[in-house]
Amino acid sequence: MATAERLIAEPQVRHTECFIGGKWLPAASGKTFETINPATEEPIASVAEGDQQDIDLAVDAARRAFDSGPWSRMDARDRGRLMYKLADLIEDEIDELAALESLDNGKPVKDARAADLPLVIDCLRYYAGFADKIQGSTIPIRGNYFSYSRREPVGVVGQIIPWNFPMLMTAWKWGPALAAGCTVVMKPAEQTPLTCLRMAQLAQDAGIPDGVINVVPGFGPTAGGAIVKHPGVDKVAFTGEHLTAQIIMREAATSLKRLTFELGGKSPNVIAADADLDAAAVGTNFGLFFNQGQCCCAGSRVFVDERVHDEFVDKLKNLAAGRRLGAPLEMETDQGPQVDQAQFDKIMSYIEKGQAEGAQCITGGKRYGDRGYFIEPTIFDGVNDDMSIAKDEIFGPVMSVLKYRDWDEMIERANKTFYGLAAAVWTRDVTQAHDFARRVRAGTIWVNCYDVFDAAAPFGGFKMSGQGRELGEEGLRPYTESKTVTIHLG
Ligand code: ADP
């Protein structure tokens, strides 16, 4: 059972090395890098900087566990049991893990505790239940044959994740991989390695055999690149920027690895004139500012029917101005710092571009405080489709408000992006809601809500926002291969 919610002022950093074949090892090169507390800009810990040599060891361990180890012989239901156990161990440590996530990433501990961690636990349990339900079918082919299909694990999977939801992205990747019977080599983001490393130890404590889960912290082009190029890796699952996915696709071409991608977005969030404006304002504020705006599905293009524009924008402004910025480990904090200096600089440069291109900054627009990567919740009004802030993914607390007059024209504008991850509409008109859901080209559509995630509901992108889906039964498929067996009956 979960412990009572309690504040951990100084979360413990217990693991900083590579986790390979069930052992904690320094990087073969001996190198380390510092993970920084984004609220103070001070180092938290030195972490092993894995590169190709460590990935080679990790892939060997994962291959052995897959090809001949106990994992390959274990009954599916027993695999599921170990996954339930891992979920239980995470739940037992929920407060500590939420605090560690908050320390390394900068997200408010309140959010990590109420959103990230429950979703992590739920995802692992959801896929644990799937372990013994992955099955094939019998196939009625012509002739005197018995033909059937099997769904088998794809093999060793390389998993490369970003820093915005470190534990949740770990769970989204491990859940389907373990349920399907795959083994894993994971590289967490260089900004946020700590909770993924802790999860690796909990996986071992749960009884998941050595070599099934391997975690190698390090940088993208070196450790990540080595995973992508390694001939012993059968599939790569990646979450991050589309530009990185393009590199990965090119590098994976040699071995024709299976690839799934969950990438960026510039999601439209539409406020129709008949919407419940109070609910829409709360949902819009949450849909953009949650997690400091660092969500691939952030509702960053807010289209408002011109008839309700002024009233709605007033509400948005009040909500944004009411957000409490501060130390992520304090329970009252609504908004923490951005994850690092590079993100801070990129977001500030977009705020400058918004101003230079003629949008009106109606709240925020500045750094908050003088220590840590804090940026005020910022809203630009009077944005048009061609401005940089309406086109590019900013990945920060910067909202663009665009007016619309005509419904069909709005749908066309909503689709005028190479992204297609998510979209939302706020309306009381059910016909209008369905029309929007059918015509907007995005992998997830929310109606009168935003950021509703569930382990059972597939998530992923149209167009440059991704390839394949995560979560749900659909999220399992890329972790399996289909095999057809045909037997001559004499
Ligand atoms: P973000 O802007 O969210 O950091 P990235 O796509 O740069 O997005 O990073 C997401 C993950 O991909 C991180 O773990 C990062 O280290 C890794 N990564 C970055 N470049 C490469 C690369 N060339 N090959 C493999 N992984 C990479």
Side-chain angles (χ1 to χ4, degrees):
M1 282 299 295
T3 52
E5 204 168 293
R6 66 199 161 90
L7 197 60
I8 309 280
E10 286 181 34
Q12 241 186 305
V13 177
R14 293 189 243 203
H15 313 285
T16 55
E17 294 187 306
C18 306
F19 186 72
I20 299 177
K23 297 196 172 59
W24 291 102
L25 302 172
S29 66
K31 284 205 250 173
T32 58
F33 66 99
E34 282 179 334
T35 185
I36 304 290
N37 176 347
T40 61
E41 304 178 40
E42 282 160 9
I44 304 169
S46 290
V47 177
E49 185 187 329
D51 61 20
Q52 194 197 319
Q53 301 175 72
D54 310 284
I55 295 296
D56 286 349
L57 287 176
V59 175
D60 280 354
R63 274 263 60 106
R64 272 199 307 281
F66 182 77
D67 294 329
S68 54
W71 198 238
S72 58
R73 294 189 297 274
M74 192 179 287
D75 286 338
R77 201 159 303 158
D78 293 332
R79 269 201 324 267
R81 209 170 38 83
L82 298 181
M83 295 174 68
Y84 281 121
K85 179 74 182 159
L86 171 58
D88 290 348
L89 294 183
I90 292 172
E91 196 167 50
D92 289 345
E93 247 185 69
I94 192 165
D95 292 312
E96 288 92 334
L97 287 166
L100 189 60
E101 191 81 312
S102 170
L103 178 75
D104 208 12
N105 166 282
K107 67 177 68 202
V109 68
K110 181 172 66 179
D111 290 352
R113 179 65 177 73
D116 301 46
L117 265 297
L119 287 170
V120 165
I121 294 162
D122 206 42
C123 177
L124 290 171
R125 289 186 179 145
Y126 173 80
Y127 279 115
F130 249 121
D132 60 356
K133 296 169 193 70
I134 301 170
Q135 53 197 28
S137 54
T138 58
I139 309 166
I141 67 169
R142 283 186 196 281
N144 198 15
Y145 299 99
F146 173 53
S147 190
Y148 64 94
S149 67
R150 290 166 52 80
R151 294 215 74 87
E152 298 188 355
V154 71
V156 172
V157 296
Q159 304 188 318
I160 301 174
I161 55 166
W163 44 261
N164 57 344
F165 293 93
M167 287 194 77
L168 187 56
M169 293 300 102
T170 303
W172 283 22
K173 298 280 184 282
W174 289 3
L178 298 178
C182 297
T183 58
V184 168
V185 176
M186 171 165 274
K187 192 199 83 62
E190 52 272 29
Q191 295 87 345
T192 54
L194 299 179
T195 45
C196 178
L197 291 171
R198 180 66 192 145
M199 275 175 79
Q201 180 60 58
L202 294 178
Q204 187 176 51
D205 296 348
I208 293 176
D210 293 349
V212 172
I213 287 177
N214 305 277
V215 179
V216 179
F219 291 90
T222 46
I227 289 177
V228 175
K229 288 187 209 114
H230 201 298
V233 173
D234 299 292
K235 165 191 164 56
V236 171
F238 167 79
T239 301
E241 281 185 37
H242 72 276
L243 295 170
T244 314
Q246 290 170 334
I247 297 173
I248 291 176
M249 200 173 230
R250 278 195 291 274
E251 287 181 346
T254 321
S255 55
L256 288 178
K257 284 185 175 44
R258 281 89 185 101
L259 298 174
T260 42
F261 293 135
E262 201 262 277
L263 310 173
K266 193 73 191 174
S267 299
N269 178 21
V270 175
I271 319 305
D274 71 333
D276 172 341
L277 293 186
D278 287 320
V282 170
T284 300
N285 176 69
F286 173 66
L288 187 279
F289 293 117
F290 175 62
N291 210 38
Q292 295 64 247
Q294 302 167 143
C295 298
C296 44
C297 54
S300 50
R301 288 186 295 149
V302 178
F303 288 96
V304 187
D305 186 306
E306 63 178 15
R307 288 168 287 176
V308 293
H309 170 271
D310 295 354
E311 184 185 351
F312 187 69
V313 167
D314 264 354
K315 292 182 193 292
L316 283 182
K317 191 174 156 181
N318 289 336
L319 287 170
R323 289 178 70 76
R324 284 162 302 192
L325 276 72
L329 280 163
E330 281 171 15
M331 276 293 184
E332 310 74 56
T333 297
D334 298 319
Q335 186 171 316
Q338 309 310 127
V339 78
D340 65 8
Q341 182 76 50
Q343 290 297 318
F344 176 88
D345 291 344
K346 176 181 159 195
I347 296 160
M348 292 308 289
S349 82
Y350 272 107
I351 291 175
E352 280 166 30
K353 273 188 216 167
Q355 271 151 347
E357 291 177 10
Q360 297 114 44
C361 181
I362 57 166
T363 187
K366 294 191 297 295
R367 178 178 195 173
Y368 170 84
D370 53 11
R371 196 169 79 125
Y373 310 117
F374 293 90
I375 298 179
E376 292 175 346
T378 300
I379 301 178
F380 279 103
D381 195 10
V383 177
N384 69 47
D385 296 352
D386 299 323
M387 292 178 182
S388 316
I389 53 171
K391 289 197 295 198
D392 301 347
E393 185 179 42
I394 301 174
F395 227 64
V398 182
M399 183 189 290
S400 293
V401 177
L402 304 98
K403 268 192 210 173
Y404 77 91
R405 178 173 298 177
D406 175 70
W407 178 258
D408 292 330
E409 176 226 322
M410 177 278 294
I411 299 252
E412 202 176 297
R413 291 167 66 197
N415 279 329
K416 216 170 77 181
T417 166
F418 63 66
Y419 291 119
L421 192 57
V425 64
W426 298 81
T427 177
R428 291 183 167 108
D429 179 338
V430 70
T431 307
Q432 199 162 255
H434 282 292
D435 184 61
F436 183 88
R438 184 174 57 82
R439 290 167 69 191
V440 174
R441 290 177 53 74
T444 291
I445 307 284
W446 287 299
V447 178
N448 295 333
C449 57
Y450 210 97
D451 275 349
V452 176
F453 281 94
D454 190 285
F459 181 75
F462 281 38
K463 301 190 266 180
M464 299 269 262
S465 286
Q467 189 154 297
R469 295 290 178 271
E470 295 191 285
L471 304 183
E473 189 169 2
E474 227 176 309
L476 266 176
R477 287 210 149 242
Y479 287 92
T480 64
E481 289 277 12
S482 167
K483 179 182 278 178
T484 304
V485 182
T486 299
I487 302 167
H488 185 209
L489 294 178

